[in-house]
Amino acid sequence: MTGPAGSPAPRRRGRPSRTAEDSGPGARERILEAARDQFAERGYDKTSMRGIAKAAGVDAALVHHYFGTKDDVFAAAIEVSFDPTTVVPAIVSGPREAIGERLARFFIGVWENPATRAPLLAIFRSALTHEAAAKVLRGFVLRRILERVAADLDVPNPQFRAELAASHMIGIAILRYVIQVEPLASTDTEEIVAMVAPTLQRYLTEA
Amino acid sequence: MTGPAGSPAPRRRGRPSRTAEDSGPGARERILEAARDQFAERGYDKTSMRGIAKAAGVDAALVHHYFGTKDDVFAAAIEVSFDPTTVVPAIVSGPREAIGERLARFFIGVWENPATRAPLLAIFRSALTHEAAAKVLRGFVLRRILERVAADLDVPNPQFRAELAASHMIGIAILRYVIQVEPLASTDTEEIVAMVAPTLQRYLTEA
């Protein structure tokens, strides 16, 4: 990162330095992007607030200022990938009889895209190995997304049903993209959607 | 560990010491048990051949003698939990119209038992964070078990079908036991079996 017109921003301890470079409208987004990359590449444990700040080209105090703790940055970085206001309508809107297919296709699309796969992998790896990360995933993401999907369902125990559907998609992601079991790892996505959609449809719509 | 009649076994470098304590009929089992505990408690990375040997009360050379490399010990420790000769018949034998229910109940039973849950958790944590462990899980376990289950199925793409069923059970285990999402984490096992069994049944038996 270079400062505007090559002028290095003065760094002070304790307070974020308020320059155009540091706290401009793009700073929050740059921090989130850096955080996502750092968590994906280094894992939860080895990612530090200082490292995120450095990668984003800002003062560490600004990361604290915007997000608070490392857990909060992690949660915010996850929400960028799993934004409920985008994810939920993509699943629940449209004909009810095709919700299973929409969910399967949406989820596999997210995993097939390398740009979204890396942060998702980082999230699951972190959540499986660090209770702090599991708590974030549990509280901020799964609950916020699954609760909203469940609110739109007309079945008994809708939250349980939404979680069963999510469990299947998560399991497929782990076997296909992480463990890379064959033939699942190289099966055409449409073949997976065709098999899995009726399962999700039953969980989400059949009493 | 104390030696027989309190006589300490002489330790030599390079070759396992051949005493009743070290290489008796129980040594292999003690090593496997110690390996399972070490991988579960410390993770793949931090588990060493020396640490396993120490916990089993044997010479490190004996661990090498029996199992070869750390990956081989990991594979053998997994196989103790996932012995194909026990697992496969438990799933495929019995009436074909109840294979989904049997698989769901068997799998959840393994996870509900704390003695088998810990090593399973260790396996998945290791496989998600270390390619070497993922390779072991892929090669030795999933393939050996799923291939045998698939060999007994009368559907197109039986291995793909068996992997879809496995993916669902693995996803449930992760959300219920690791991430501990509610209400899934505290839902009665029979309620889970009732919902999931028809899914597995369809994957494993319907063309």
Side-chain angles (χ1 to χ4, degrees), chain A residues 125 128 138 142 157 159 163 167-168 171-172 174 178-184 191 195 199 202-203, chain B residues 125 128 138 142 157 159 163 167-168 171-172 174 178-184 191 195 199 202-203:
Chain A
R125 285 192 171 125
L128 277 167
R138 188 161 63 228
L142 289 173
N157 304 326
Q159 177 93 7
E163 287 168 8
S167 77
H168 199 0
I172 288 173
I174 288 172
V178 186
I179 319 274
Q180 299 177 13
V181 181
E182 291 296 353
L184 182 60
E191 202 176 329
M195 281 301 293
T199 301
R202 183 167 70 82
Y203 290 159
Chain B
R125 283 191 172 127
L128 278 166
R138 188 162 63 229
L142 289 172
N157 303 326
Q159 177 92 7
E163 287 168 6
S167 77
H168 199 359
I172 289 173
I174 288 172
V178 186
I179 319 274
Q180 299 178 11
V181 181
E182 291 296 353
L184 181 59
E191 202 175 328
M195 281 302 292
T199 301
R202 182 168 70 82
Y203 290 160

Side-chain angles (χ1 to χ4, degrees), chain A residues 15-206:
Chain A
R15 281 192 60 199
S17 50
R18 299 295 191 192
T19 67
E21 179 202 351
D22 268 14
S23 53
R28 196 175 183 282
E29 286 63 38
R30 279 211 312 282
I31 293 169
L32 276 183
E33 209 172 298
R36 213 180 47 186
D37 292 348
Q38 294 274 305
F39 283 119
E41 280 164 28
R42 306 171 58 83
Y44 185 85
D45 241 13
K46 289 179 188 153
T47 297
S48 67
M49 296 292 263
R50 190 168 295 276
I52 292 168
K54 197 178 169 196
V58 302
D59 196 284
L62 195 73
V63 182
H64 286 286
H65 170 76
Y66 275 129
F67 297 101
T69 68
K70 178 169 145 182
D71 280 2
D72 298 326
V73 188
F74 184 69
I78 289 177
E79 283 198 71
V80 172
S81 312
F82 270 128
D83 179 9
T85 60
T86 327
V87 173
V88 177
I91 297 166
V92 299
S93 64
R96 188 46 42 117
E97 65 272 18
I99 190 175
E101 190 183 325
R102 272 201 307 283
L103 175 56
R105 191 165 279 127
F106 176 84
F107 196 93
I108 288 182
V110 170
W111 279 98
E112 286 291 313
N113 180 348
T116 39
R117 185 192 304 176
L120 277 173
L121 272 183
I123 290 164
F124 280 104
R125 285 192 171 125
S126 302
L128 277 167
T129 44
H130 297 283
E131 172 52 26
K135 194 177 165 191
V136 168
L137 187 64
R138 188 161 63 228
F140 284 70
V141 188
L142 289 173
R143 243 187 45 210
R144 279 190 57 190
I145 290 182
L146 292 181
E147 264 174 15
R148 295 195 199 186
V149 170
D152 209 66
L153 301 179
D154 188 26
V155 286
N157 304 326
Q159 177 93 7
F160 170 59
R161 302 296 199 95
E163 287 168 8
L164 280 184
S167 77
H168 199 0
M169 303 310 296
I170 289 167
I172 288 173
I174 288 172
L175 285 193
R176 178 177 168 92
Y177 303 102
V178 186
I179 319 274
Q180 299 177 13
V181 181
E182 291 296 353
L184 182 60
S186 52
T187 297
D188 186 75
T189 56
E190 283 306 306
E191 202 176 329
I192 299 173
V193 169
M195 281 301 293
V196 169
T199 301
L200 306 183
Q201 186 70 30
R202 183 167 70 82
Y203 290 159
L204 302 180
T205 64
E206 289 176 30

Side-chain angles (χ1 to χ4, degrees), chain B residues 13-82:
Chain B
R13 283 198 164 273
R15 282 191 62 198
S17 51
R18 298 295 192 191
T19 68
E21 178 202 351
D22 267 14
S23 53
R28 196 174 184 281
E29 286 63 40
R30 280 210 312 283
I31 293 169
L32 276 182
E33 209 172 299
R36 210 180 51 186
D37 291 348
Q38 295 273 306
F39 283 118
E41 281 163 27
R42 307 169 59 84
Y44 185 84
D45 241 11
K46 289 178 187 152
T47 296
S48 67
M49 296 292 264
R50 191 167 293 275
I52 292 169
K54 197 179 169 195
V58 302
D59 196 284
L62 195 70
V63 182
H64 286 285
H65 170 75
Y66 275 129
F67 298 101
T69 68
K70 178 170 148 183
D71 279 2
D72 298 326
V73 188
F74 184 69
I78 289 177
E79 283 198 69
V80 171
S81 312
F82 271 127

